[in-house]
Amino acid sequence: ENKLWKLGVDVFVLPGGEPRKMREALTQNCCRMLSKWRLQRKAIDDSANESDKISGGGLVCICAGTVVACGKGMRGRNLVDGVELFDDNRFASTGLSGMVRLKCNFDTSPVIMAGDLALSKEKNKLRMMYCNGPLMSIRDPVEKSENVRADKTEISIWACYRTDLAAKCEARRISSEDKSLDNINEQYQNKNRQFKKLIMQEKWLCLSCGKLHFKSNKVKSCCGMKKREQEKERKLVQELAGVMPGKAAIVAIEKESLSCRTVLFGPHPEFSCATSAAILAESILWACWR
């Protein structure tokens, strides 16, 4: 806490990474000091000094950082109110990654409007890198304890997911399996009996390299991942197909009287295009009232 004050920190960033390790690093005492700093930091901008306004420290979270900020219990530290992880963050177990398209809400996002004017012309063609990130949903604010100052909280969804990454992953798996069978068929050429005998066997496709394994090969793992684990992951991907579109990808929280701002990212803007990086920079400035 003393370092945050002495260094004049404006924004605290929780980046991507491993949520459990990040949660362990952010002890309960650390979280209490962080919350105290956020609620009581004195604003250093001129407009705030003129009105003697107290401005809270900004918080920007990305991917795993969002999980830690929104999650409860073993998943996180519950640093923010009103936003929760959709379906208890089941997407974290799918191993899904890739570029996703986002649908921006231009009415509620001053950052997206001001950050890149070209984006408003392209109409929702924002793309960001997704790596097992959370899907967010808005919930009713929890009742606050007596020692927590009641405050009006405004929650805005700046962007939602458009891409159904789970469905695309399943489609690629089916396509890879079909291609593998076509290649095997070419190898066997006219030996239809052997080919039919082979494809009738139990088979599984490696989700990493796309190699097709048959029961007769007795292969129990591939690319460092066991067959059972891959089958479990594939089943989860099938269940989550169609769930991602429409879920919140970027959420902003503003506590009015405490002037405390938070921006939560599900995907990674820093690993994406220049437009996404510009939105991250504008979000950091917005969080610290710049």
Side-chain angles (χ1 to χ4, degrees):
E1 180 185 6
N2 292 333
K3 289 184 178 180
L4 291 173
W5 286 97
K6 289 180 180 179
L7 295 175
V9 176
D10 298 306
V11 179
F12 191 86
V13 179
L14 285 175
E18 172 55 48
R20 290 184 181 180
K21 293 181 179 179
M22 194 179 297
R23 182 186 179 278
E24 292 174 0
L26 283 172
T27 62
Q28 291 184 355
N29 187 41
C30 182
C31 290
R32 282 195 295 269
M33 290 188 294
L34 178 62
S35 297
K36 184 179 178 181
W37 166 78
R38 293 199 68 204
L39 298 178
Q40 298 181 359
R41 186 183 70 87
K42 193 76 173 178
I44 60 174
D45 54 280
D46 296 335
S47 60
N49 287 334
E50 291 175 1
S51 60
D52 195 25
K53 184 179 180 181
I54 297 295
S55 177
L59 178 64
V60 176
C61 305
I62 300 172
C63 195
T66 298
V67 174
V68 174
C70 299
K72 294 182 178 181
M74 296 301 294
R75 293 201 181 275
R77 291 300 187 186
N78 194 28
L79 298 176
V80 298
D81 292 329
V83 180
E84 63 184 3
L85 305 175
F86 175 77
D87 202 7
D88 199 23
N89 202 31
R90 289 182 71 197
F91 263 75
S93 304
T94 59
L96 292 175
S97 63
M99 296 297 292
V100 293
R101 297 180 65 183
L102 304 181
K103 181 179 180 181
C104 303
N105 191 338
F106 295 95
D107 296 330
T108 62
S109 176
V111 166
I112 293 178
M113 285 296 291
D116 196 319
L117 296 178
L119 181 63
S120 62
K121 296 177 182 178
E122 292 177 5
K123 291 296 182 184
N124 292 325
K125 290 189 178 180
L126 179 63
R127 293 163 61 89
M128 288 189 184
M129 175 59 69
Y130 177 87
C131 301
N132 282 342
L135 314 184
M136 292 172 280
S137 58
I138 309 302
R139 60 180 169 83
D140 295 331
V142 296
E143 295 182 0
K144 299 180 180 295
S145 58
E146 295 179 359
N147 61 342
V148 179
R149 182 178 177 181
D151 183 50
K152 182 180 178 181
T153 302
E154 182 179 348
I155 302 175
S156 303
I157 297 177
W158 284 0
C160 296
Y161 292 102
R162 295 185 66 186
T163 303
D164 191 348
L165 205 56
K168 289 181 66 176
C169 179
E170 180 63 15
R172 285 197 300 267
R173 184 194 67 80
I174 295 173
S175 178
S176 298
E177 188 170 311
D178 292 340
K179 288 180 180 179
S180 298
L181 290 175
D182 290 340
N183 293 335
I184 293 173
N185 191 20
E186 290 179 3
Q187 293 175 7
Y188 279 84
Q189 294 179 353
N190 296 327
K191 300 178 181 178
N192 292 327
R193 288 185 179 180
Q194 294 183 25
F195 175 70
K196 289 180 179 180
K197 184 178 179 180
L198 182 65
I199 64 173
M200 289 300 292
Q201 295 181 24
E202 181 184 348
K203 53 186 176 296
W204 63 281
L205 185 76
C206 176
L207 299 177
S208 298
C209 66
K211 186 176 181 180
L212 192 64
H213 299 283
F214 293 90
K215 185 177 181 180
S216 58
N217 298 336
K218 299 181 179 179
V219 177
K220 298 298 182 180
S221 64
C222 187
C223 296
M225 194 172 181
K226 293 182 180 180
K227 171 188 173 184
R228 183 177 297 179
E229 295 174 348
Q230 293 212 27
E231 289 179 341
K232 183 179 179 180
E233 185 176 302
R234 184 178 63 189
K235 183 178 179 181
L236 182 59
V237 169
Q238 292 173 342
E239 292 176 357
L240 293 175
V243 173
M244 193 175 197
K247 298 299 183 296
I250 307 175
V251 176
I253 307 171
E254 181 175 352
K255 294 192 175 185
E256 187 174 313
S257 62
L258 295 177
S259 304
C260 200
R261 286 176 169 179
T262 303
V263 183
L264 306 170
F265 288 89
H268 283 268
E270 76 278 20
F271 294 152
S272 308
C273 61
T275 301
S276 299
I279 289 175
L280 174 60
E282 291 289 339
S283 297
I284 292 174
L285 293 174
W286 180 85
C288 65
W289 298 82
R290 297 300 182 92

